[in-house]
Amino acid sequence: MPRKMTTTQLELFPDIQSVPVTQTPPWQSLPGDTQQTLTRLMARLIAEHAGAADRGSDHEA
């Protein structure tokens, strides 16, 4: 049986290298409410991921 050609990620997104890179702002420069919201969202994401791992999920993060 002939071998299938595989596509690399860079081939899937050829224009991504032409997009200028945006620098992430320093955490301290973010408004307080934005920091709180991001902290809550990250905590929720981590807790949900840990819960999925506890259930023996075969889904990768």
Side-chain angles (χ1 to χ4, degrees):
M1 176 174 252
R3 186 172 177 199
K4 284 185 175 181
M5 295 275 304
T6 58
T7 304
T8 64
Q9 187 172 3
L10 292 177
E11 291 170 343
L12 293 174
F13 304 101
D15 295 333
I16 200 161
Q17 294 179 4
S18 64
V19 176
V21 176
T22 303
Q23 293 296 322
T24 304
W27 180 257
Q28 295 80 4
S29 72
L30 296 174
D33 58 336
T34 301
Q35 290 180 10
Q36 289 176 345
T37 299
L38 288 171
T39 301
R40 276 194 298 269
L41 289 171
M42 288 303 299
R44 187 170 122 197
L45 178 67
I46 292 166
E48 288 176 2
H49 178 73
D54 288 344
R55 290 188 298 272
S57 173
D58 60 353
H59 176 75
E60 290 187 28

